[in-house]
Amino acid sequence: MGKFKEIIYVVCVVAVLIAVSLILGFSGTKNAEYNYVKLEINPALEFLCDGSGKVVTMFPVNAEAKELIIAEQFVGLKAEDASKKFVDLCVQAGYIDVDRQDNAVKLTIITGLTEMLDVKIYNKVSSYLLENQIKAVIVENESDLEEFKEAKKYGVSSNKFSLMESVSRLYPDIEMDSLKKLSKKELIKKIKTAHQNLFESVVTYTPEQLANKTKLIDFNRAKLNNHKELITKTSKSEFADEYKQFVKLQQKYYEQNFNKQHEMWKANKINSSIA
């Protein structure tokens, strides 16, 4: 009888553990059904991904991004691969200039129960920059002091403020004060609905629009190819040290006010193109 009781006890414990795992699994999926990601360079792209980390909807935040994503596929990609792809398109088009040291990428990643997606995307973008020897600071939205101040005005976190801004942009008739009453989950639901409703307008383009994108990338092709030809194993090793120093010096400026630094970047780009 003692042995039988031991077996029953073990079976019960295993059953309880399985039940708890299932409950946690289902609740995790429910709470983190969709994750929000936005990348801002000059072109800005936002997308939602599901619990497995795959992109389910996407939307270009500005005209530059809409042009860049013409004839490109993002839905179905892993979030980190979609992020890398968008950064690469920005490099191809010269929005991230391989010859300059004032490039920056702002990441907004809002997830459910874990921060694994944050790490995957950050590492993927960082690895791409190192691999291609590109000096660009990576700033996370929660580190942007100016954005934190704006969020504080509404009494919300930086992450919620980012979602509120997205919904406000997608639904111009809804005021920010109304949006702060909604939960993050409700805000993401609104973003998903808008993305789905606007999807056809995003993926539809004219031959002229495609030609303009091609011209933009072709114009920058020679500079980019010359840059890549100079990359060697030795230069990668040396660049890794240079990059650490670059980030150490520049990160604080972008974290104080990303938008201000970005405006300076745009002004410098215009002046250099005129010169």
Side-chain angles (χ1 to χ4, degrees), residues 260-273:
K260 180 181 178 181
Q261 291 298 127
H262 184 59
E263 288 303 317
M264 290 171 60
W265 173 88
K266 286 198 289 186
N268 290 336
K269 188 172 178 64
I270 292 170
N271 291 334
S272 63
S273 63

Side-chain angles (χ1 to χ4, degrees), residues 184-202:
K184 289 181 186 177
K185 188 173 180 179
E186 289 171 324
L187 290 168
I188 288 178
K189 186 177 180 181
K190 281 189 170 294
I191 292 170
K192 181 173 181 285
T193 299
H195 283 189
Q196 290 173 328
N197 291 339
L198 296 167
F199 184 73
E200 284 303 318
S201 65
V202 170

Side-chain angles (χ1 to χ4, degrees), residues 95-97 100-104 134-137 246 254 265:
Y95 288 112
I96 295 178
D97 194 321
R100 291 174 59 164
Q101 299 192 26
D102 58 352
N103 301 301
I134 299 170
K135 289 183 178 177
V137 172
F246 164 76
Y254 288 93
W265 173 88

Side-chain angles (χ1 to χ4, degrees), residues 36-40 105-111 118 122 138-151 156-165 184 251 254-259:
Y36 175 87
V37 179
K38 181 167 70 171
L39 294 97
E40 299 171 73
V105 180
K106 184 176 178 180
L107 294 178
T108 300
I109 307 168
I110 302 171
T111 61
D118 306 47
Y122 188 97
I138 302 175
V139 178
E140 295 179 89
N141 71 306
E142 291 182 296
S143 300
D144 186 343
L145 182 59
E146 196 61 29
E147 183 169 329
F148 172 78
K149 290 177 181 177
E150 288 298 311
V156 299
S157 67
S158 295
N159 278 347
K160 185 169 182 179
F161 179 73
S162 295
L163 294 176
M164 287 164 57
E165 276 197 318
K184 289 181 186 177
Q251 189 93 24
Y254 288 93
E255 289 183 346
Q256 286 171 4
N257 190 332
F258 182 87
N259 287 338

Side-chain angles (χ1 to χ4, degrees), residues 5 13-14 18 29 34 42 52 94 110 115 124 130 134 137 139 141 151 157 174 221 243 252 259 264:
K5 285 181 179 179
V13 169
V14 171
I18 292 173
T29 303
Y34 296 106
N42 180 37
S52 65
I110 302 171
E115 295 182 354
K124 196 80 169 184
L130 283 168
I134 299 170
V137 172
V139 178
N141 71 306
S157 67
I174 305 179
R221 194 182 303 279
Y243 186 72
K252 57 185 177 182
N259 287 338
M264 290 171 60

Side-chain angles (χ1 to χ4, degrees), residues 21-35:
S21 298
L22 288 172
I23 290 169
L24 288 174
F26 287 133
S27 64
T29 303
K30 183 178 180 181
N31 292 334
E33 186 175 1
Y34 296 106
N35 302 308

